[in-house]
């Protein structure tokens, strides 16, 4: 028999599940976290395979403000306890994955009584439409909850449909001992961090390493998407461009043939050579093409729609399934909201997405107002409030273009300043009387500009008239009415992200508010 009907059932005790549990615990809601394995943070006990995180752990910032420090801390979960900062667990800029495991164990200990381990979910069902969910684990235990929050992460390999790919080795279980590849010819399929992490590990021992994929290599320092190839993993590019037997193959792997002696013959169609195909021999073939969400636990009546080639659940701005009410998602599986342009796939991004989800749930189901403050609907006051936030907020900084501070009429002739609302959320708490949305964003075409090319024209940081041409991160304020953007104001970019100039930042923003009044008469 199931336990009492819970307010919330969270599936997964990784970073997102534990973050959600923290907020539910603090709010006093009835909840339980089900974890498939005997301990929290199962993903980080295996991945990344070479045990070095590429999430930044910048311990020394020169700031005393904890909120500002979170801009440089990509690993901490949000907590009221200053002891639960990841910067206490490692001094390394790129920390070891085992440090994350220790951190998550300590974070989980604060809500231990709400976590059930060794409870791999077998089925999520909803026998009565609109009624509670019934969740069954592999031991036959059942749980009932009014709402389910899935925080499992991406748990299945994203295997490309290449004939013969089943004979290749997978990133998740291939040997990471370089000695096993001594004097071998190795093909690595994939062009993101797991592929180049694997290639870099083999440079000293493998005879030849080819990294292959149909798309161009994208560098994170240029695109500003941290899931693209990071500088930490791009040492391999030197070995290609300096003619050291290795290469990046730009093309489709059409076929993988495992030969009788255990070696491979791989057919590659080269994009740069007008689809010319070539059969290339290798000793090892490794597939490093990422992961995808596993929807197999859902019964037919509550199976969520998928997006992005069925890799992630399709979500509303409130992180709810587009087709299953009360089924929500948290963590890296919310990437359909900002795929390959934002940070929802990473702790430093989704920790704020989880907080926004919790606030949406509190408002919808428990009558708790979205956090905010009242302001006079006076242009100078609104401009000052915006600049105060963009100069300090870690959420707008990390979830650029995804979360927004929102200024809405309060119905009394003033305004209400709401923090960290999903940019495209409609209805409460945004309302329908028009509002301003405040984000931090990169400029248009920012990923097409080489930031190290000094011949490229630059916008001076004192030129407010041309602020909209800026490529680097800067505040953007939009005036919405009936869901349509009526006006946009860009605040001039600044090298140190210090938007405090009265002449360059405050006055132009105040003038924008003056021309696009939001006040509603009583």
């Amino acid at each position: 028999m199931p336990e009492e009907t819970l307010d919330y059932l969270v599936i997964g005790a990784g970073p997102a599940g534990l973050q959600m549990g923290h907020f539910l615990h603090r709010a006093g809601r009835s909840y339980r976290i089900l974890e498939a394995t005997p301990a929290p943070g199962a993903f980080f006990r295996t991945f990344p395979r070479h045990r070095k995180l590429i999430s930044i752990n910048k311990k020394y910032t020169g700031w005393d403000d904890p909120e500002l420090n979170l801009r440089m801390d990509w690993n901490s979960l949000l907590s009221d306890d200053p002891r639960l900062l990841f910067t206490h667990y490692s001094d390394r800029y790129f920390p070891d994955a085992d440090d994350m495991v220790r951190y998550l164990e300590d974070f989980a200990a604060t809500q231990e009584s709400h976590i059930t381990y060794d409870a791999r979910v077998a089925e999520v069902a909803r026998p009565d439409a609109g009624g509670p969910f019934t969740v069954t684990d592999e031991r036959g235990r059942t749980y009932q909850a009014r709402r389910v929050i899935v925080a499992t992460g991406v748990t299945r390999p994203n295997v490309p449909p290449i004939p013969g790919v089943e004979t290749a080795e997978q990133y998740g279980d291939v040997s990471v001992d370089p000695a096993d590849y001594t004097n071998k010819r190795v093909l690595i399929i994939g062009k993101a961090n797991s592929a180049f992490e694997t290639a870099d590990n083999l440079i000293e021992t493998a005879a030849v390493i080819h990294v292959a994929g149909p798309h161009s290599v994208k560098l994170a320092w240029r695109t500003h998407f941290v899931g693209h190839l990071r500088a930490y993993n791009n040492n391999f590019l030197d070995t290609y461009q300096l003619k050291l037997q290795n290469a990046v193959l730009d093309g489709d792997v059409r076929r993988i043939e495992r030969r009788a002696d255990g070696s491979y013959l791989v057919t590659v169609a080269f994009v740069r050579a007008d689809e010319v195909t070539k059969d290339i021999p290798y000793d090892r073939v490794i597939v490093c093409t990422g992961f995808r969400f596993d929807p197999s636990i859902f019964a037919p009546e509550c199976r969520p729609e998928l997006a992005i080639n069925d890799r992630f659940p399709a979500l509303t701005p409130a992180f709810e399934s587009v087709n299953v009410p009360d089924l929500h998602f948290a963590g890296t599986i919310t990437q359909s909201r900002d795929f390959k342009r934002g940070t929802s796939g990473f702790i430093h991004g989704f920790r704020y997405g989880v907080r926004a989800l919790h606030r949406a749930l509190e408002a919808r189901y428990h009558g708790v107002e979205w956090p905010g403050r009242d302001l006079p609907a006076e242009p100078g006051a609104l401009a000052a409030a915006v600049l105060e936030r963009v100069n300090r907020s870690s959420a707008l900084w990390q979830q650029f273009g995804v979360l927004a501070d929102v200024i809405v009429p309060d119905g009394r002739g003033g305004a209400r300043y709401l923090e960290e609302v999903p940019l495209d959320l409609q209805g409460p708490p945004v309302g329908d009387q028009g509002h301003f949305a405040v984000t931090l964003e990169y400029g248009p075409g920012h990923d097409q500009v080489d930031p190290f090319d000094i011949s490229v024209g630059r916008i001076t940081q004192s030129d407010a008239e041309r602020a909209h041409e800026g490529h680097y991160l800067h505040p953007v304020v939009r005036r919405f009415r009936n869901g349509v953007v009526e006006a946009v104001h860009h605040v001039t970019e600044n090298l140190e992200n210090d938007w405090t100039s009265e002449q360059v930042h405050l006055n132009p923003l105040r003038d924008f508010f003056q021309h696009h009044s939001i006040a509603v008469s009583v």
Side-chain angles (χ1 to χ4, degrees), residues 88-218:
H88 298 322
Y89 288 73
S90 175
D91 293 333
R92 305 294 302 180
Y93 190 75
F94 294 114
D96 191 89
D98 291 333
D99 295 326
M100 176 59 73
V101 171
R102 290 191 301 112
Y103 173 70
L104 294 176
E105 287 175 341
D106 288 350
F107 202 95
T110 65
Q111 42 189 310
E112 194 74 26
S113 64
H114 293 266
I115 305 175
T116 300
Y117 293 106
D118 288 316
R120 185 177 299 277
V121 171
E123 184 182 60
V124 178
R126 200 176 202 179
D128 300 317
F133 293 89
T134 298
V135 178
T136 306
D137 68 22
E138 289 187 345
R139 296 187 178 189
R141 295 172 294 191
T142 59
Y143 312 82
Q144 280 194 347
R146 298 174 183 88
R147 292 161 285 277
V148 168
I149 301 169
V150 183
T152 55
V154 283
T155 55
R156 291 173 54 188
N158 181 48
V159 182
I162 302 169
V165 71
E166 70 280 357
T167 66
E169 300 173 274
Q170 292 290 327
Y171 169 74
D173 48 38
V174 71
S175 170
V176 295
D177 184 354
D180 291 341
Y181 303 84
T182 300
N183 210 32
K184 303 292 185 183
R185 292 176 57 87
V186 182
L187 172 65
I188 299 170
I189 301 175
K191 284 185 174 179
N193 284 293
S194 62
F196 282 93
E197 164 203 330
T198 302
D200 190 59
N201 185 52
L202 305 181
I203 285 174
E204 294 181 348
T205 57
V208 172
I209 307 169
H210 289 170
V211 175
H215 305 294
S216 301
V217 173
K218 293 186 177 182

Side-chain angles (χ1 to χ4, degrees), residues 223-458:
T223 66
H224 303 114
F225 173 62
V226 300
H228 285 149
L229 180 58
R230 301 288 296 283
Y232 185 86
N233 286 327
N234 73 12
N235 184 50
F236 178 82
L237 297 180
D238 262 15
T239 73
Y240 171 34
Q241 292 298 316
L242 300 181
K243 305 181 295 298
L244 295 171
Q245 293 187 276
N246 300 329
V248 175
L249 308 184
D250 297 320
D252 283 303
V253 175
R254 293 287 176 84
R255 183 170 176 266
I256 301 171
E257 178 187 347
R258 185 78 181 270
R259 299 192 285 195
D261 62 357
S263 65
Y264 295 87
L265 191 66
V266 178
T267 303
V268 180
F270 292 91
V271 173
R272 292 178 184 267
D274 295 326
E275 297 284 331
V276 169
T277 61
K278 183 176 182 180
D279 293 333
I280 307 175
Y282 296 100
D283 298 298
R284 308 283 290 267
V285 177
I286 306 170
V287 180
C288 300
T289 49
F291 300 89
R292 64 192 307 117
F293 170 63
D294 182 2
S296 64
I297 61 174
F298 295 96
E301 73 274 6
C302 60
R303 182 164 295 149
E305 290 184 14
L306 302 179
I308 319 293
N309 296 320
D310 291 343
R311 288 185 65 182
F312 306 99
L315 305 178
T316 71
F319 307 99
E320 186 175 25
S321 168
V322 297
N323 66 304
V324 183
D326 303 318
L327 177 62
H328 295 265
F329 295 84
T332 191
I333 51 179
T334 63
Q335 288 183 64
S336 63
R337 302 297 308 159
D338 59 354
F339 186 60
K340 290 194 175 181
R341 63 179 177 85
T343 59
S344 291
F346 314 92
I347 290 175
H348 67 289
F350 69 61
R351 63 191 178 193
Y352 303 101
V354 174
R355 183 159 68 184
L357 166 58
H358 178 253
R359 288 172 173 173
L361 295 172
E362 287 289 293
R364 184 191 298 185
Y365 300 114
H366 307 290
V368 179
E369 284 192 358
W370 199 283
R373 56 191 171 116
D374 292 324
L375 292 174
E378 187 274 317
L382 298 181
V386 168
L387 294 183
E388 178 186 357
R389 278 284 293 167
V390 297
N391 277 294
R392 183 169 182 262
S393 167
S394 64
L396 300 186
W397 176 273
Q398 303 289 24
Q399 284 277 48
F400 50 89
V402 175
L403 294 183
D405 282 2
V406 174
I407 304 172
V408 297
D410 64 6
R412 303 184 301 274
R416 180 93 175 145
Y417 193 106
L418 307 174
E419 298 180 359
E420 303 167 28
V421 179
L423 177 59
D424 47 358
L425 187 69
Q426 297 181 1
V430 176
D432 57 3
Q433 299 184 63
H435 66 278
F436 291 106
V438 181
T439 57
L440 287 172
E441 298 179 28
Y442 291 95
H446 67 89
D447 55 346
Q448 305 301 314
V449 177
D450 183 349
F452 303 116
D453 184 355
I454 63 173
S455 67
V456 176
R458 295 289 180 181

